[in-house]
Amino acid sequence: MTKLVSCPHDPNKRVASGMRPTGPLHLGHYFGVLKNWVEMQENFNTFFFVVDWHALTSDFEHTAHIKEYVEEMVKDWLAAGLDPEKSAIYVQSHIKEIAELNLLVSMLTPVSWLERCPTYKEQQQNITDKDLSNFGFLGYPVLMACDIIIMRARWVPVGADQIPHLELSREIARRFNNLYGAIFPEPEPKLTPTAKCPGLDGRKMSKSYGNGIFLRDTLKELAPKIKGMLTYAPRARREDPGDPDLCNLYPYHELLTDKPARDEIRQGCVSAGMGCADCKKILLKGLENFLAPLHERRAQIETRPGYVWEVLAAGKERAAKEARLTMDAVRQAMQIAY
Ligand code: TRP
């Protein structure tokens, strides 16, 4: 690893990560990423942001709900335990320096790096209802790299789907460092231990599939969802044995149920001693217990109108200070500080 010429902090202690404002978060977001964020804020200097500009890279025509989604998502973050005292929590577009860095870095990023990015190729092929033939969409990973390197962070807690983007971030940081002087740590992903969290119908949990359990779901909303959940299909009758390893519901017990109860469920399932309805009851109870503190914090937040925007304003202060320091160093390094 190149020795950095100037970094005002220990880069190994610094974490940055962002999420697109897609509205209410579901369990997949929580167990895939958010849980990791909440844990990391204890031992790292953490920067967490809403990437509202990224929302525009594929959906520039639909901007009416972005503001509402930003607020909803940050409420979920706070409800899940992100602490504005511990983490800088802010909105990407409030830090204009990111746009400046994006412009500068785009000069040294070969188009071929972006075109060969697997997520780019895949989405170009598979998403047909959106116009993705844009400069901004192609440049998505450059902007993402800038979100991270502007904070000179080493660690980026994300889902495994983001690995190709982080590879590009490292290549971009490396190229900058080689050309102008080593000022950027090379960012690396911090993955959560693989926790499977399928959607209610067995596909990937996603808001657009309508198969999600949301962090803000009330008990009333949860009960029918769990009741209707797809279990191990070959177990057609109560007296047929099941197979937890092929069941769509069992992975939730891995996330929410303690080991002794889980062993009982497993045993009851394979011996047909326990039916799916009872297994679901245990899950519903587990979900209730898990969500109760989140709902309590959310209710508190909702008694304070404007609180989310206060948190985001304070986060902006902290993040902007770092971004200004980095951009001073960048302009110096590039000899365009005049
Ligand atoms: N690409 C990420 C996603 O779709 C979001 C993102 C944008 C991000 N910038 C980032 C994640 C910087 C981590 C760090 O989930």
Side-chain angles (χ1 to χ4, degrees), residues 88-100:
I89 301 171
Y90 56 99
V91 179
Q92 175 188 41
S93 68
H94 286 172
I95 314 294
K96 309 296 180 204
E97 286 79 2
I98 296 173
E100 183 186 354

Side-chain angles (χ1 to χ4, degrees), residues 72 75-76 78-80 215-216 218 291-305 307-308:
E72 268 312 301
K75 266 188 206 166
D76 275 337
L78 299 171
L215 300 182
R216 53 182 268 187
T218 59
L291 290 175
L294 278 80
H295 290 174
E296 211 168 287
R297 276 194 290 267
R298 178 175 260 271
Q300 258 170 18
I301 294 163
E302 277 169 355
T303 60
R304 299 170 64 180
Y307 176 65
V308 165

